[in-house]
Amino acid sequence: MMDSNDDEEQRLRSVALQNANVIFLARQQAEREVAAERRRAEEAQARLAAIVESSQDAIISKTLDGIIQTWNAGAERLFGYRAEEAIGQPITLIIPPDRLSEEREILARLGRGERIEHYETIRVARNGRQIDISLTISPVRDADGRVIGASKVARDITERREAVEALKEADRRKDEFLALLAHELRNPLAPLRNGLEVMRLAADNPVIVAKTRDMMDRQLSHMVRLIDDLLDISRINRHKMELRCARVTLADVIGNAVETTRPAIEAAGHELSVSLPPEPIHLTADLTRLSQVFANLLNNSAKYTERGGRIWITAEREGDQVMVRVRDTGIGIPAEALPNIFDMFSQVDRSIERSTGGLGIGLALVKGLVEKHGGTVEAASPGQGKGSTFRVRLPVLKERAESASGEPAGESPESARSRRRILVVDDNRDSAASMAMMLQLLGHEVRTAHDGLETLELAERFRPQVVLMDIGMPRLNGYDATRSIREQPWGRDVAIVALTGWGQEVDRARSKEAGCDGHLVKPVNLPDLETLLSDLEGR
Amino acid sequence: MTIPTEPIGSIPRPLRLLEAIAATGAMDGTDPSLEPLYEEAVRDTIERFEATGSPVITDGEQRKYHNFWTYCVHGLPNTDPDGFRIPFAAGHTRRMLRLTDGPFRYRRSADSFLDVALRYAHRPVKQAVISPSALSLMYPPDEIPGYPREQFIQDLLNEHETEVRNCLRKGAHKVQIDFTEGRLAVKLDPSGHLLSSFIELNNLALSRFSAEDRQRIGVHTCPGGDLDSTHSADVDYAELLPSLFELKVGSFCVALAGERDRARVLEILREHRKPDQRVFVGVIEPINPRVETPEEVRDRTLEAAEYIPVERLGTTDDCGFSPFCDDTSTTRDTAFAKIRARVLGTALASKKLGVE
């Protein structure tokens, strides 16, 4: 062997064995690398498995024959089948029969190695529920790159689709509303312009002028009401509406609402029944705003009830709450319209709304105002043509507070207008005179003063129950005059209301600090003044 | 599905080609004037191979210069021809190349032979490559300055991997790693350490391939065949086969026809073959000038089927017919006649075993 050359054989053996050492080390290194790679792969697989399992989406893999191979927790939640039930089953398990052709198309595309992204379709859950889903499907390849299956990520897009539909619906309603708004705002303009022309042409005919002025007043009032509603709903939506809450009785609230809507109810020939509990129910509320709630509901009943219908407004105490029902025999509300009846721009029958005027924001305003008062409102109807019922629940003031007030029970709205001694202070003599005239017309006893010192002298003699105090005045300003009154024994219980052109918080704080009980910003309209006087009742 | 049968690789080169190579004088077989002759030799070999009915063919290794062992490094400028001598029983030796400097790179790769063969072939083509363990003996006993043995081993593995991967990618039916030095390793180191190191080195290379790829890779072992002689036929298979089956390949071509005690070898095969490994047993003796009859082949195959499940059995030749290009001890006609006998005999055995 080896040409009998032992040296050569020895050298060959030496090379081979030296190589063996290197090979041994190389093998050890290779084994370490393989082990590390395996560890990395196992860790990656574990991470991937954790991601798949924790995914909110359904992640499914299947063979090219459409047999389910894996099924994560998301798939269990979405489709209702457990993994052990789904694996091994054909994917048609979750495909509605009318969409089976989709699967053939998907498999064909996968076979061509295509990836399918955000394919929106419908699948069916175990309980038969059809689910809107978005599918992303990727081919699964073997080591040689052959497509051997597919992975599917299915996302439930039911909520998204509904949200999109809701947005579209809201957009549609907004467009309709804008068109209606333009129409409704334009409607009064023609008679107003006509009225102006008539008054110019018949200036010397007082009968025609008076009649025209009444017509213009009605049109203007209607327009003002539309705009006020708009502004109110806007304030509520922007959380900018401030309530002037005071202790009021439910009877006052309902009474105001009835009084406001009675002309419309009577004009439509409806019969209105009002039923309130005999005992007084006190609320902390903005009388004007809460009255507006029930006036809107009553107006709605009048508007959506055929001529000669019936309307009921009733109230019942329910523990710490009072429930006020406004019921009618009107056109009713279809069941499908009930969930959205309080939404902006929602009108069940726009043709009626058009014929009677309005923007369809009345109920949204009702809901916003009721909620601002800490209450709730709901609508019910047995169906179209079967009338409607609106239930308003409001928190009631506790009895302790009622008795502490010393207010007599069963107070009527008229009592708010009881005769009072009122001192009107304003250095603008016309303002003072017109305010005094308005208050006298309301039945009060009124005196006027035009500076601070005159105010003190007159108050000493007149002993007013209420002082409407201008602030900026010669000789002695309103703050100092107020402080001086408060120093008098008779002046401590006098209701002093600052009456000024300044309405910032800092101004209100200053008047309060001087001893004022209220703060009104000029010009003051009659309802605000009445509300104020009502709030001061019982002082 | 009949019992598969396939060749080892080499077929004696046409004399005209050998004469032309000798005439160029350069003795590296790359003279451009030889190209038409190489082309014709490949074309003719494949045509005659296909005529034998062999379901799998080779290009007869017509372009492997100078032999199955050194074809990839022959002519490298950083080698000397004074490497180790491999002694054959007939008394002659074959000498390896010695690496004189780094880096180690193949000069040519077997996939370039496959490119040509596939142009002519109508049947699946098998491509043989030399094992990393055989080439590892090129590195000298003393370390080459600036090129450590560790780097050489890494370069060797990289070159081998590239060659095998290219052959697979280009469509070789099977890539056969020639591991004839297995038995030689046992002869050099009866303790078996050297053989283990060869197996480890080859497995380091094989572990770079996927399991699917390794199913298309086989190993051939034999006691060497050159000029009708062997270099390690005296080594007992029992020393080799248990380690051989540790190689991470799908199939083994094991020389068997020339063994003195085939039954004993088959017993060892039965004992050590792993369940998923297919064994192609040698049923033709290339170094024996007598052409076997199909019936002889049939009987050898049936004998093997008693030890190896027929679904894991195949037949082959014990060795190539001319692993060294200048070996003219066997004629091309004889080689193809023997191959035809193998094909027919294997078919007869299949029929007998009912696996047609």
Side-chain angles (χ1 to χ4, degrees):
Chain A
M1 121 130 245
M2 288 289 170
D3 207 16
S4 303
N5 187 333
D6 288 345
D7 285 347
E8 179 134 353
E9 184 178 327
Q10 187 59 38
R11 283 200 308 131
L12 183 53
R13 191 180 293 116
S14 167
V15 167
L17 292 176
Q18 285 184 72
N19 285 352
N21 288 334
V22 173
I23 292 162
F24 176 73
L25 294 173
R27 191 198 70 185
Q28 283 190 322
Q29 177 61 26
E31 284 175 351
R32 279 194 295 272
E33 286 171 4
V34 166
E37 182 60 34
R38 187 182 300 126
R39 205 164 44 246
R40 279 194 294 274
E42 285 171 356
E43 286 170 1
Q45 194 166 13
R47 275 196 300 275
L48 187 62
I51 291 168
V52 167
E53 268 316 287
S54 63
S55 170
Q56 290 301 306
D57 294 333
I59 301 177
I60 303 165
S61 65
K62 63 177 183 181
T63 64
L64 277 183
D65 298 331
I67 301 299
I68 297 167
Q69 289 184 304
T70 63
W71 185 266
N72 75 337
E76 290 188 346
R77 280 192 297 274
L78 186 60
F79 297 113
Y81 294 98
R82 294 195 308 278
E84 58 267 33
E85 294 173 314
I87 292 171
Q89 296 293 314
I91 194 71
T92 49
L93 182 71
I94 56 169
I95 301 178
D98 59 336
R99 289 183 180 263
L100 286 175
S101 60
E102 275 180 10
E103 183 63 8
R104 285 191 288 276
E105 184 197 336
I106 288 170
L107 288 175
R109 289 177 63 182
L110 285 172
R112 296 194 294 270
E114 289 181 34
R115 178 180 156 91
I116 299 161
E117 292 193 50
H118 309 306
Y119 182 87
E120 294 192 4
T121 183
I122 292 173
R123 292 293 179 260
V124 62
R126 180 181 201 148
N127 61 8
R129 183 173 74 95
Q130 296 219 326
I131 311 165
D132 289 315
I133 62 166
S134 169
L135 278 179
T136 294
I137 310 170
S138 307
V140 174
R141 299 172 188 277
D142 66 8
D144 295 327
R146 286 188 298 266
V147 177
I148 56 169
S151 71
K152 283 187 173 188
V153 179
R155 174 165 295 178
D156 186 350
I157 57 167
T158 307
E159 282 185 16
R160 192 182 81 193
R161 179 159 286 182
E162 285 172 355
V164 168
E165 291 302 319
L167 275 177
K168 283 182 186 168
E169 175 63 15
D171 198 44
R172 186 187 62 75
R173 283 193 198 157
K174 183 200 71 185
D175 288 345
E176 279 187 13
F177 172 76
L178 287 174
L180 181 63
L181 177 63
H183 180 262
E184 289 299 321
L185 288 177
R186 194 174 176 77
N187 261 351
L189 293 179
L192 283 172
R193 174 172 284 175
N194 293 342
L196 283 173
E197 196 62 28
V198 167
M199 287 170 77
R200 190 175 65 81
L201 295 172
D204 54 351
N205 186 334
V207 176
I208 291 177
V209 167
K211 195 173 171 184
T212 304
R213 194 175 55 222
D214 288 348
M215 178 273 290
M216 290 175 73
D217 186 53
R218 282 196 306 277
Q219 293 299 327
L220 194 60
S221 297
H222 178 61
M223 198 165 177
V224 167
R225 194 168 66 247
L226 290 179
I227 293 170
D228 282 348
D229 277 0
L230 269 179
L231 291 174
D232 286 348
I233 200 76
S234 166
R235 283 191 199 106
I236 286 176
N237 287 343
R238 290 182 294 123
H239 307 289
K240 295 288 185 189
M241 174 171 275
E242 285 185 17
L243 296 183
R244 293 169 182 172
C245 284
R247 188 163 174 274
V248 300
T249 64
L250 180 66
D252 284 354
V253 173
I254 303 294
N256 277 0
V258 168
E259 191 178 323
T260 305
T261 54
R262 192 179 294 282
I265 292 170
E266 288 177 353
H270 301 316
E271 183 185 331
L272 172 66
S273 300
V274 180
S275 173
L276 302 178
E279 72 279 10
I281 293 178
H282 291 90
L283 313 167
T284 298
D286 182 322
L287 179 68
T288 307
R289 294 303 188 186
L290 199 52
S291 296
Q292 195 180 350
V293 166
F294 296 106
N296 274 2
L297 293 176
L298 289 168
N299 255 333
N300 259 15
S301 289
K303 198 185 292 183
Y304 294 111
T305 300
E306 298 227 352
R307 186 170 183 78
R310 292 202 63 183
I311 301 170
W312 295 266
I313 181 162
T314 59
E316 286 175 49
R317 174 114 186 206
E318 291 182 345
D320 292 341
Q321 291 188 319
V322 60
M323 185 177 70
V324 182
R325 278 193 192 85
V326 177
R327 188 157 67 88
D328 61 50
T329 55
I331 63 169
I333 306 166
E336 65 273 16
L338 275 173
N340 303 315
I341 197 76
F342 293 104
D343 290 352
M344 279 279 284
F345 324 135
S346 168
Q347 280 181 332
V348 173
D349 185 340
R350 198 162 289 284
S351 64
I352 292 175
E353 189 68 42
R354 286 215 171 103
S355 68
T356 55
L359 295 172
I361 60 176
L363 288 178
L365 195 53
V366 163
K367 183 167 188 280
L369 286 171
V370 167
E371 288 175 352
K372 287 283 284 182
H373 281 88
T376 59
V377 59
E378 58 190 20
S381 173
Q384 206 151 8
K386 295 179 179 174
S388 311
T389 301
F390 286 86
R391 284 187 283 267
V392 177
R393 285 187 173 80
L394 293 163
V396 170
L397 259 181
K398 289 180 181 166
E399 291 300 328
R400 192 158 51 98
E402 289 172 25
S403 56
S405 74
E407 187 175 27
E411 187 186 24
S412 70
E414 283 72 23
S415 66
R417 297 185 192 141
S418 60
R419 183 182 172 85
R420 313 182 70 143
R421 289 190 306 282
I422 301 175
L423 174 57
V424 176
V425 182
D426 199 323
D427 64 339
N428 183 321
R429 289 177 182 271
D430 286 345
S431 288
S434 62
M435 177 64 76
M437 193 182 300
M438 207 154 58
L439 290 167
Q440 282 164 347
L441 287 172
L442 290 173
H444 302 291
E445 184 183 354
V446 186
R447 299 284 186 280
T448 59
H450 306 106
D451 63 51
L453 291 180
E454 186 188 359
T455 301
L456 295 179
E457 290 166 12
L458 190 55
E460 177 71 37
R461 294 196 307 274
F462 181 51
R463 298 290 174 90
Q465 293 167 292
V466 179
V467 177
L468 300 179
M469 180 74 80
D470 190 12
I471 298 297
M473 290 186 299
R475 298 174 71 187
L476 186 69
N477 68 31
Y479 298 131
D480 291 337
T482 301
R483 288 193 190 94
S484 295
I485 291 173
R486 290 294 187 218
E487 286 170 4
Q488 306 304 316
W490 52 265
R492 288 172 194 148
D493 295 329
V494 175
I496 306 177
V497 178
L499 201 64
T500 169
W502 308 103
Q504 299 293 318
E505 278 304 312
V506 63
D507 303 309
R508 293 176 191 276
R510 278 190 73 185
S511 63
K512 188 175 181 184
E513 184 267 335
C516 291
D517 299 297
H519 187 112
L520 289 179
V521 179
K522 293 178 186 175
V524 178
N525 60 27
L526 189 58
D528 284 350
L529 194 58
E530 284 187 293
T531 302
L532 176 74
L533 294 174
S534 174
D535 292 348
L536 295 172
E537 194 69 37
R539 286 183 60 101
Chain B
M1 178 70 189
T2 58
I3 295 171
T5 184
E6 61 185 41
I8 293 300
S10 62
I11 298 289
R13 282 61 163 176
L15 291 176
R16 205 150 62 98
L17 172 63
L18 293 178
E19 287 164 5
I21 292 170
T24 61
M27 294 306 288
D28 67 352
T30 58
D31 192 292
S33 66
L34 300 174
E35 278 304 310
L37 293 171
Y38 276 128
E39 192 81 7
E40 173 56 20
V42 172
R43 188 203 61 74
D44 183 66
T45 301
I46 287 176
E47 186 178 293
R48 297 187 67 180
F49 229 129
E50 290 183 346
T52 66
S54 183
V56 177
I57 62 169
T58 71
D59 67 348
E61 302 185 356
Q62 302 298 287
R63 297 189 70 114
K64 274 191 178 172
Y65 190 90
H66 171 273
N67 56 65
F68 74 103
W69 191 315
T70 62
Y71 68 90
C72 53
V73 293
H74 202 98
L76 278 176
N78 55 342
T79 58
D80 270 351
D82 61 347
F84 294 113
R85 292 189 185 87
I86 308 295
F88 282 80
H92 69 285
T93 62
R94 291 290 190 178
R95 194 151 197 171
M96 293 173 57
L97 298 175
R98 178 176 64 85
L99 192 69
T100 57
D101 200 1
F104 175 78
R105 298 286 184 270
Y106 281 9
R107 188 172 183 219
R108 63 184 63 81
S109 171
D111 61 277
S112 64
F113 309 142
L114 187 64
D115 288 335
V116 179
L118 289 174
R119 286 211 303 269
Y120 295 106
H122 304 90
R123 300 256 172 97
V125 178
K126 174 179 174 177
Q127 181 61 55
V129 299
I130 191 60
S131 68
S133 52
L135 292 173
S136 71
L137 298 174
M138 284 180 70
Y139 197 92
D142 300 325
E143 184 140 319
I144 297 172
Y147 190 58
R149 195 177 300 271
E150 290 80 358
Q151 187 59 52
F152 164 70
I153 294 294
Q154 285 305 320
D155 287 345
L156 170 61
L157 289 170
N158 290 344
E159 292 297 291
H160 173 78
E161 178 190 357
T162 303
E163 181 179 49
V164 174
R165 216 173 270 293
N166 283 343
C167 289
L168 291 172
R169 181 174 54 81
K170 289 179 177 180
H173 169 71
K174 181 187 281 187
V175 176
Q176 171 185 283
I177 297 171
D178 287 335
F179 184 53
T180 63
E181 70 280 15
R183 252 169 138 168
L184 184 61
V186 177
K187 187 171 179 177
L188 287 173
D189 179 16
S191 74
H193 289 136
L194 188 53
L195 174 62
S196 295
S197 123
F198 280 0
I199 299 284
E200 278 189 7
L201 180 61
N202 293 333
N203 269 344
L204 274 175
L206 288 164
S207 62
R208 297 182 177 195
F209 294 90
S210 67
E212 290 78 6
D213 281 344
R214 290 201 294 265
Q215 284 302 307
R216 290 171 62 201
I217 299 174
V219 160
H220 162 57
T221 188
C222 71
D226 182 36
L227 300 174
D228 292 345
S229 177
T230 63
H231 55 58
S232 53
D234 50 337
V235 174
D236 192 343
Y237 255 144
E239 304 295 325
L240 171 69
L241 292 180
S243 296
L244 185 76
F245 285 118
E246 293 301 321
L247 284 168
K248 299 171 182 174
V249 292
S251 62
F252 295 83
C253 290
V254 179
L256 180 65
E259 290 297 309
R260 285 190 295 272
D261 187 350
R262 285 200 300 274
R264 180 166 176 275
V265 174
L266 285 166
E267 187 66 49
I268 298 168
L269 287 174
R270 175 162 64 184
E271 189 178 345
H272 295 286
R273 183 192 64 85
K274 292 189 169 63
D276 59 341
Q277 293 172 334
R278 185 187 286 276
V279 178
F280 291 80
V281 294
V283 291
I284 297 292
E285 266 191 291
I287 58 173
N288 185 342
R290 186 181 67 82
V291 176
E292 292 83 351
T293 66
E295 289 72 20
E296 278 178 289
V297 171
R298 177 197 64 197
D299 293 343
R300 288 172 183 175
T301 307
L302 293 175
E303 181 187 21
E306 292 173 20
Y307 296 87
I308 299 167
V310 70
E311 66 274 11
R312 290 288 161 197
L313 179 64
T315 63
T316 184
D317 310 315
D318 270 5
C319 189
F321 288 91
S322 181
F324 294 80
C325 77
D326 55 358
D327 180 2
T328 55
S329 59
T330 305
T331 65
R332 285 166 70 82
D333 289 346
T334 300
F336 286 121
K338 281 174 169 280
I339 289 168
R340 182 166 179 73
R342 169 169 56 78
V343 172
L344 292 174
T346 303
L348 289 174
S350 295
K351 189 173 183 181
K352 184 85 175 173
L353 292 168
V355 291
E356 294 181 274

